[in-house]
């Protein structure tokens, strides 16, 4: 009996994994993997997230300093929302930290249309004389 239960558990887990990879989730959120970058002696992490509810979607780009607070204007981000086919449909524009901060999260604004979307953010960090741009990883697709 134990062998049958173990086999059924393995089949159930395998089926769940296949299903979860086959279709995007509905009404909720999905986050990208976190990427690392550095500039001007500071370390940062960047990520993107997409949020949906029925008929609408929005995205965020997140940038965090791993070196504590950084000076005003040292971190910038642009939340960008894309269709599953890769078309940019909404972006918030670059926004920079307006005071000493250890992180920022910038939205794309809401796009009101059913579909499948992901977030693919871009961030900027001050290198001492100009900004280094860095693209986040793409978030998983999410249905709206």
């Amino acid at each position: 009996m134990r062998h049958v239960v173990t086999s059924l558990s393995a089949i159930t887990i395998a089926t769940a994994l296949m299903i979860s990879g086959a279709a995007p989730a509905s009404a909720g959120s999905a986050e990208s993997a976190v990427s690392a970058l550095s500039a001007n002696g500071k370390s940062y992490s960047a990520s993107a997230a997409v949020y949906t509810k029925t008929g609408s979607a929005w995205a965020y780009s997140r940038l965090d300093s791993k070196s504590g607070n950084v000076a005003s204007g040292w971190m910038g981000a642009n939340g960008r929302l894309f269709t599953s086919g890769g078309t940019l449909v909404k972006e918030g524009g670059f926004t920079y930290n307006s005071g000493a901060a250890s992180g920022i999260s910038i939205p794309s604004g809401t796009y009101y249309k059913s579909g499948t979307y992901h977030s693919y953010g871009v961030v900027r960090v001050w290198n001492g004389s100009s900004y280094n741009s860095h693209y986040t990883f793409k978030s998983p697709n999410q249905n709206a």
Side-chain angles (χ1 to χ4, degrees):
M1 182 67 164
R2 182 181 173 134
H3 177 60
V4 171
V5 171
T6 303
S7 297
L8 287 174
S9 295
I11 291 169
T12 302
I13 291 169
T15 303
L17 289 173
M18 287 187 332
I19 290 171
S20 68
S26 295
S29 65
E31 295 183 16
S32 73
V34 175
S35 57
L37 60 149
S38 62
N40 203 24
K42 304 290 184 182
S43 298
Y44 301 89
S45 63
S47 61
V50 62
Y51 297 87
T52 60
K53 64 180 183 178
T54 304
S56 63
W58 58 100
Y60 279 86
S61 290
R62 177 88 192 158
L63 179 63
D64 291 297
S65 166
K66 298 302 179 190
S67 304
N69 283 352
V70 297
S72 180
W74 279 31
M75 297 183 293
N78 183 8
R80 303 187 316 156
L81 181 69
F82 290 81
T83 65
S84 59
T87 301
L88 176 64
V89 292
K90 194 80 172 178
E91 66 180 323
F94 269 96
T95 302
Y96 297 86
N97 62 308
S98 60
S102 62
I104 57 173
S105 185
I106 305 303
S108 64
T110 304
Y111 187 65
Y112 295 98
K113 186 173 181 183
S114 296
T116 303
Y117 302 96
H118 67 269
S119 179
Y120 182 36
V122 61
V123 299
R124 290 180 182 159
V125 293
W126 183 250
N127 66 21
S129 60
S130 63
Y131 288 99
N132 293 349
S133 294
H134 174 83
Y135 290 90
T136 68
F137 289 115
K138 293 178 184 176
S139 74
N141 283 331
Q142 188 79 11
N143 287 333

